[in-house]
Amino acid sequence: MMLRRPSPSRYVLPVFLACAALSGCGVAGETFPPEPDDWDKEVALPVAVDLNPDPRIVEIKIEARIGQAEFTPGVKTDVWTYNGTTPGPLIRAKVGDKLIVHFTNHLPEETTIHWHGLRLPNAMDGSESTQAPVAPGETFDYVFTFPDAGTFWYHPHIRSSEQVEKGLYGAIIVDDPEEPPFGHELVLVLDDILLDAEGALNPPEEETNLESYFGRQGNVLLVNGHASPKLQVRPGMPLRLRLIDAANARYFELGINGQHFDRIGGDGGLLEAPQALDTIVIAPGERADAVVTPAGDVGDQLVIKWLPFDRGSGTGLAEPRDLMRLDLAGEPVEEERPLPRHLRTIAPINTEAATEQQIQLTEEFPNGAAVMGINGHPFSETVPIEAWVGETQIWRVENTTMADHPFHLHGFRFQILDLDGEAPAYREWKDTFSVPAMKTARLAMTFDDRPGDWMFHCHILDHATLGMMGMLMVMK
Ligand code: C2O
Ligand code: CU
């Protein structure tokens, strides 16, 4: 295989001039020459239809209802959907836009929508601590604005280990029009499902305590609801992957043989500088934003592989699997578009006057069955963490167990100060952070003026169900 040595860009200038003259620029990919026709048609997400003519308002309808998906060709599987598909529609907006969602529940049980990673008013958070569940046949309007650019997602917060597993989740992209274009964009929601021999979803409500303890992992890997999809991409053309891990328990460590990723962002928008990585890992609930520039010759096939990340519970013993294929096709792109060295500045949170909170992730086996908790308390006996509006806190999150737990806080973003005393190499905004087995992470956060009851939990959803969930009371 020949690696192309790209020469300096020849098309940047004319393209940017064209951009200035056109409206709608700033959408990722538009300043790059096109990919082959229908290049992403196997994975492209349906986009939510904006019913509001105001350019600063995105007003959409979302219905939760039972539907069908075809994970294996010719075999229909009953799933739970938003607007008929899993994943549900992609919600796309710009920073500062207002979102109005008219939500209707057509499921046979109650549900809510939680907006994962968004800094929104407490009443809009869609958790069991912020609203009455939406009963079958009922409606609820979610209304809030998007304060930050980034990759986010939405999913139910009632019986979430079952409802998300059945297919209820969708992606949210908040664009910052000031951001430079990084490449042709692919929003990829990753999941795994457990299908039986008939192609039916193994009922998550029948999961045993031991299965929940290990965290339910499926036998079919999905990218935007498709098993082993293929894409056509031009050699040398940068691709911006917006990755979301919507699985109940599976970590996705991704690698493409012989190629590297430049991670440019995470949960809460861009990093300060691109981070070159051979593989990229995301835990349930987490997101990554990464640029990959497929190198090779027309006709080559590159495989994005799922690699066995060891989160404990024997998960490191699995074999690598193919997740998705990139077929190199179309005119090779010879010009290189180097990434900006500096992406943005993120001021460190001032922790001089911070209050410290001790949060242990715990597990017990009182009658031979696993009960998980925060500081020894399952959610049913939660002792809330208290904070005041305007206060900065440091959460010392100590994982006392032998497996990793992706720790997620609703409504606020945090910075990682250190993991067992070691500061991370890159400063970024997080809302979900995988705390490795027997390690302690220190997270810094400032509570802005959004009082209320906010949840935090392990995003291995089976663990949240087993009790590893707590409450934060922000008071004013
Ligand atoms: Cu995606 Cu309570 O979380
Ligand atoms: Cu967990």
Side-chain angles (χ1 to χ4, degrees), residues 15 107 119 136 144 155 178 203 245 289 335 337 343 346 363 369 378 383 456 465 473:
V15 169
L107 298 171
R119 299 193 296 149
F144 53 87
H155 63 78
E178 310 279 283
D245 186 346
D289 194 349
E335 299 85 354
R337 291 268 304 250
L343 299 170
I346 299 173
E363 64 186 23
V383 181
F456 59 88
T465 301
M473 278 171 47

Side-chain angles (χ1 to χ4, degrees), residues 195-243:
L195 293 183
D196 66 18
E198 277 72 58
L201 197 63
N202 210 291
E205 51 274 41
E206 288 168 20
E207 185 165 292
T208 64
N209 177 269
L210 190 66
E211 285 166 339
S212 300
Y213 177 71
F214 285 149
R216 177 187 174 104
Q217 297 211 150
N219 50 3
V220 177
L221 304 184
L222 296 178
V223 178
N224 293 352
H226 305 285
S228 311
K230 299 180 289 299
L231 279 93
Q232 275 82 50
V233 296
R234 288 169 65 175
M237 177 78 82
L239 283 175
R240 179 183 192 176
L241 312 179
R242 305 260 209 168
L243 304 163

Side-chain angles (χ1 to χ4, degrees), residues 6-26:
S7 55
S9 173
R10 286 194 300 269
Y11 60 76
V12 172
L13 187 62
V15 169
F16 273 103
L17 285 178
C19 191
L22 289 169
S23 64
C25 266

Side-chain angles (χ1 to χ4, degrees), residues 326-338:
L326 304 176
D327 293 343
L328 300 194
E331 181 84 355
V333 177
E334 303 288 348
E335 299 85 354
E336 192 178 17
R337 291 268 304 250

Side-chain angles (χ1 to χ4, degrees), residues 404-406 458 460 463 468:
D404 302 359
H405 297 287
C458 175
I460 291 182
H463 292 177
M468 197 179 278

